[in-house]
Amino acid sequence: QIFSAIDVGKQGSIILRDEDLKIAVRYPELQGLGRIVGSKPTRELQGLVQMGRTAGTYQARAPLDNIERSYSFRKITGQPYYIIVGLAQDDYLSEWRKQAAQTAAFVALFCLATSFTAWLYYREWKRGHTTIMNLIQQEAKFHTIADYTYAWEFWLSPDGSLLYSSPSCERISGYTADEFCSDPGLLRSIVHPDDQKKYADHRHEAISDIGAHNLVLRICHADGTVRWLEHDCQPVFDQAGVFLGNRGSNRDVTDRKKMEAALAESEEHFHQLFIQNWDAVMLLHQETFDVVDANPAMLSLFGYSLTEMQHLGPWPLIVPDTDGKFMKLFRDSILQGEAFLEKGLSRCKDGTEIKVSAKTKLIRLKEQNLLYCSIRDISDRIRLEEEKAEAQSKLIHANKMTSLGMLVSGIAHEINNPNQYISLNASILAGIWKDASAVLSKYHQEHGEFLLKGLSFTQAQETVPRLLTGVTEGSARINLIVNNLKDFSRDNSKQLEATFDLNKTIQAAVQILTHHIHKHTYDFQVALGTDIPCVKGKAQQIEQVVINLITNALQALSDKTKTVRVATLYEKETDSIVLTVSDQGKGMTKEIMKRITEPFFSTRLEEGGTGLGLSISATILKDHDGTLEFESTPDFGTTATIKLQAAPANS
């Protein structure tokens, strides 16, 4: 009802559209289409609204009735609607066209009847007056719409003078419309000096071309500040093609330019952080997971070029067995904003597999959602953690071995006490048997054979002395083993150096290892040289070395038929004693032989080895100015050779 009170011509229209630019009300309604609620807008209106304009003018042909109109639109303040008023060009010129036709008829009829011509002239004058009044009214309506637009609307004459300027010019430039109209050069003078040439070129193009033109430039506001304007204009021609000037619109886009500058600066900061990041980083498309970009660290770590990664995507970097983890990582970051993968397995271009951790975050960059995926190579960290855990395990085991040595010393002491009883009682029983044997012999002569614990007296005379001798010898052997264990466990590193017999040290070591030897081989050989000089040093430490070498040789055997041989000899040329420990075991490769004296290196870690025996042995021999060398052939055995300098004759 409100719209029907406004005369917009026969083919004019007034439309109310919502924020989505769908029609809410149209006047007048088109026959057969009703109010056409929801109809789509023209491309020109849609483009202006998408640019953020809330008011303006444009020319377009309506898709519903195919009528060319001049439109003016404005966003209603405080309401979610746009009001659009369109005036059809035919409505402007309809009366004029009729007048021209009637004037032609009047000329034709003028020759027929002068009186009738006078009557026609009067009628045409009346109609012309009506047309002019209609034009004046329509122009007033147009000015009413233009004057209330938010943008600065203007019309320049062909000579560049301002024919019309909307009141919004004062809000945008600081100057009133009257000032612009009274000073033809004011519009050009407020253009920023750096943009004067750009504006002059634009004016030239706008005059010489019939198309619309767009320009973004700066102006100097009346208060001294610099404002950014988005300037649109197009030339206006009459039906005869006569240039009538330029119709234009200026919008203040200063805030938008500031935002664009801030965004550009932010993107530059992001770009610098992106390319200089030590972690490997790639940007993935949110939906397809295609690689949008990758920093130098990513390309260096995996060996791919950026073009290859953009073509192949992230999938070649993922080991197939772990692709589920990475897919979950990507999806979780989309759902939750960010996600973290503590351990994963990736593959480089050359096929090398590396352990990585990954973190993804959903970001907004350049008008699109991207996944920021940061990958860090943690292979070295995991290796160091594993080595640390292994070293700690070995130290714990070594500590257990130290504790075991102390325990052995205590047990040896405890065994020694009851063994003394055995030795003493065996001696007493031997004396008792000697005295009783004479009495039993006399009884045997008088009464014949009798049994002692299932044995005849004759058998007992042969067996009992042998049993008593075995008990005595066994006790002595126990005593020898206990003393050797006590000496081996005793820390005498602070004792003064002295000379010792290497052969005796070897025999003591063999005595301690008797059980171990019988467990591993039937063929244990000891060939100790004669006239071996003494060695200066700590016998207990050298004994520890010998025990380590013999133990390693025994453990290298594949079965008990294999041989272990311990031998010594004296080299007069070098005045040194040579000790060799040979075995027919599994042998060692060159790679293993290079590392066998490294602390905590062992080929028997799973079987309880500590990797300290040969390392300690090498250290002990170095302190004794000795050497330790190995010769080994896989599957054929190993020979360890020790050389120690002979002690001076008078030491």
Side-chain angles (χ1 to χ4, degrees):
Q1 290 176 353
I2 294 174
F3 292 168
S4 64
I6 302 174
D7 183 8
V8 292
K10 294 181 179 180
Q11 301 185 73
S13 66
I14 302 179
I15 301 174
L16 187 68
R17 292 182 179 271
D18 61 18
E19 287 187 323
D20 295 328
L21 299 182
K22 294 181 179 180
I23 289 180
V25 177
R26 185 188 191 278
Y27 173 80
E29 298 179 354
L30 294 179
Q31 186 175 1
L33 297 178
R35 295 171 63 188
I36 331 170
V37 175
S39 178
K40 293 183 178 178
T42 62
R43 288 181 299 175
E44 290 81 1
L45 174 61
Q46 191 172 12
L48 291 172
V49 172
Q50 287 179 349
M51 287 191 296
R53 295 177 58 178
T54 58
T57 60
Y58 62 94
Q59 286 185 332
R61 185 174 294 277
L64 295 174
D65 53 15
N66 200 31
I67 295 176
E68 181 78 18
R69 294 185 179 90
S70 292
Y71 291 92
S72 180
F73 79 99
R74 181 179 182 87
K75 175 74 166 59
I76 299 177
T77 304
Q79 298 296 330
Y81 291 102
Y82 291 87
I83 182 74
I84 301 101
V85 178
L87 299 179
Q89 189 175 17
D90 290 341
D91 288 345
Y92 280 113
L93 303 177
S94 61
E95 295 298 331
W96 177 84
R97 288 171 179 168
K98 291 180 181 179
Q99 180 181 0
Q102 291 171 357
T103 301
F106 172 75
V107 172
L109 295 174
F110 181 80
C111 298
L112 300 176
T114 302
S115 60
F116 186 68
T117 303
W119 178 79
L120 288 176
Y121 177 77
Y122 171 75
R123 190 179 66 173
E124 291 304 319
W125 173 83
K126 189 175 181 180
R127 290 183 178 179
H129 178 73
T130 302
T131 300
I132 292 172
M133 293 303 297
N134 288 337
L135 288 174
I136 292 173
Q137 291 177 2
Q138 291 176 4
E139 184 179 0
K141 295 175 184 177
F142 178 80
H143 274 282
T144 301
I145 295 173
D147 287 347
Y148 285 94
T149 59
Y150 190 75
W152 174 10
E153 308 293 339
F154 64 91
W155 188 352
L156 293 176
S157 68
D159 62 2
S161 61
L162 194 65
L163 298 177
Y164 169 78
S165 176
S166 68
S168 297
C169 64
E170 186 174 2
R171 178 184 58 81
I172 294 176
S173 68
Y175 298 95
T176 65
D178 291 340
E179 289 178 293
F180 280 106
C181 292
S182 61
D183 184 359
L186 180 59
L187 180 60
R188 180 185 296 272
S189 66
I190 66 173
V191 176
H192 193 277
D194 294 341
D195 292 339
Q196 285 284 352
K197 185 178 184 304
K198 183 194 298 185
Y199 179 72
D201 294 341
H202 166 76
R203 286 279 298 130
H204 175 73
E205 293 175 358
I207 295 173
S208 60
D209 191 1
I210 63 172
H213 294 270
N214 179 273
L215 178 69
V216 177
L217 76 164
R218 291 163 290 180
I219 64 168
C220 298
H221 193 274
D223 62 7
T225 60
V226 175
R227 303 287 181 91
W228 283 92
L229 296 187
E230 184 176 19
H231 170 80
D232 291 307
C233 72
Q234 67 179 35
V236 179
F237 300 87
D238 63 12
Q239 288 186 337
V242 177
F243 178 60
L244 301 179
N246 290 95
R247 172 74 174 84
S249 177
N250 292 324
R251 291 168 299 282
D252 188 344
V253 293
T254 305
D255 292 340
R256 190 187 78 188
K257 294 295 290 185
K258 289 180 179 179
M259 293 177 61
E260 290 175 353
L263 179 61
E265 183 179 1
S266 176
E267 289 181 351
E268 177 61 21
H269 289 166
F270 174 83
H271 179 69
Q272 292 299 324
L273 292 173
F274 177 73
I275 63 174
Q276 296 181 23
N277 199 326
W278 286 8
D279 286 340
V281 180
M282 59 180 171
L283 300 178
L284 304 179
H285 193 278
Q286 177 187 357
E287 297 178 355
T288 63
F289 300 140
D290 291 337
V291 176
V292 177
D293 199 359
N295 71 344
M298 171 68 72
L299 305 180
S300 174
L301 177 61
F302 290 99
Y304 290 95
S305 68
L306 178 58
T307 303
E308 289 174 323
M309 292 195 66
Q310 290 175 334
H311 176 68
L312 299 173
W315 313 118
L317 311 182
I318 302 173
V319 175
D321 293 342
T322 62
D323 54 359
K325 290 184 178 180
F326 283 90
M327 282 300 298
K328 184 177 185 301
L329 176 72
F330 296 156
R331 290 169 180 164
D332 287 350
S333 61
I334 294 174
L335 296 175
Q336 304 171 12
E338 61 181 335
F340 178 70
L341 176 62
E342 185 176 1
K343 289 182 181 179
L345 197 60
S346 288
R347 179 174 294 157
C348 300
K349 184 177 181 180
D350 60 5
T352 304
E353 293 185 355
I354 57 175
K355 296 176 181 178
V356 299
S357 63
K359 185 176 182 180
T360 55
K361 186 177 181 65
L362 187 63
I363 64 172
R364 182 74 175 174
L365 185 66
K366 295 182 178 179
E367 303 301 323
Q368 60 179 333
N369 292 330
L370 300 176
L371 289 181
Y372 180 95
C373 182
S374 174
I375 298 177
R376 180 173 296 178
D377 184 357
I378 59 172
S379 301
D380 290 340
R381 190 192 78 189
I382 293 178
R383 177 180 57 80
L384 291 174
E385 290 175 352
E386 292 174 348
E387 290 178 355
K388 178 182 177 182
E390 182 179 347
Q392 288 177 338
S393 176
K394 291 176 179 179
L395 287 173
I396 293 172
H397 188 71
N399 185 59
K400 289 181 180 179
M401 296 299 292
T402 302
S403 301
L404 182 60
M406 298 175 62
L407 180 62
V408 167
S409 178
I411 292 175
H413 179 75
E414 295 299 326
I415 292 175
N416 195 46
N417 291 332
N419 187 55
Q420 290 179 359
Y421 294 135
I422 294 173
S423 177
L424 178 61
N425 293 340
S427 176
I428 294 174
L429 288 174
I432 292 174
W433 172 255
K434 182 178 180 182
D435 293 342
S437 179
V439 177
L440 294 175
S441 295
K442 184 177 180 180
Y443 181 82
H444 178 264
Q445 291 174 358
E446 295 176 353
H447 301 282
E449 196 67 62
F450 60 91
L451 298 177
L452 294 173
K453 196 57 178 179
L455 296 176
S456 65
F457 177 69
T458 303
Q459 293 174 328
Q461 282 183 310
E462 298 177 359
T463 303
V464 172
R466 188 168 64 251
L467 294 175
L468 291 173
T469 300
V471 172
T472 302
E473 292 177 351
S475 176
R477 187 172 180 181
I478 291 174
N479 188 57
L480 177 61
I481 293 173
V482 168
N483 290 334
N484 287 337
L485 286 174
K486 290 168 66 177
D487 291 340
F488 179 73
S489 301
R490 187 180 299 115
D491 181 12
N492 57 4
S493 58
K494 297 182 180 180
Q495 294 179 2
L496 297 176
E497 293 186 357
T499 58
F500 63 91
D501 187 339
L502 180 60
N503 284 350
K504 290 184 178 179
T505 300
I506 294 171
Q507 290 172 343
V510 171
Q511 188 69 32
I512 291 175
L513 295 172
T514 298
H515 174 74
H516 203 57
I517 292 170
H518 291 163
K519 179 180 178 181
H520 287 83
T521 182
Y522 297 131
D523 188 10
F524 184 82
Q525 302 176 7
V526 179
L528 303 179
T530 58
D531 300 327
I532 301 294
C534 290
V535 177
K536 188 174 183 179
K538 302 179 181 66
Q540 184 269 343
Q541 290 186 355
I542 299 301
E543 181 181 347
Q544 182 178 353
V545 173
V546 175
I547 289 176
N548 284 336
L549 294 178
I550 294 176
T551 300
N552 288 344
L554 292 171
Q555 292 173 346
L557 301 180
S558 59
D559 58 73
K560 298 179 73 171
T561 63
K562 304 297 183 180
T563 301
V564 173
R565 187 173 187 272
V566 181
T568 58
L569 59 87
Y570 174 59
E571 284 186 353
K572 293 183 180 180
E573 298 81 3
T574 59
D575 191 28
S576 58
I577 297 93
V578 179
L579 164 63
T580 58
V581 179
S582 304
D583 65 71
Q584 295 179 338
K586 56 187 177 182
M588 295 180 291
T589 62
K590 292 181 180 180
E591 290 74 15
I592 294 177
M593 288 181 62
K594 291 178 182 178
R595 301 187 60 191
I596 54 176
T597 58
E598 292 181 9
F600 302 110
F601 175 78
S602 174
T603 58
R604 299 180 55 257
L605 292 176
E606 295 80 3
E607 302 171 20
T610 64
L612 292 172
L614 292 180
S615 175
I616 294 172
S617 298
T619 302
I620 291 174
L621 292 173
K622 183 178 181 180
D623 292 341
H624 284 74
D625 295 327
T627 61
L628 174 61
E629 296 179 352
F630 292 91
E631 293 181 5
S632 184
T633 303
D635 300 326
F636 286 93
T638 302
T639 298
T641 302
I642 294 175
K643 285 189 177 182
L644 294 168
Q645 289 295 313
N650 57 353
S651 61

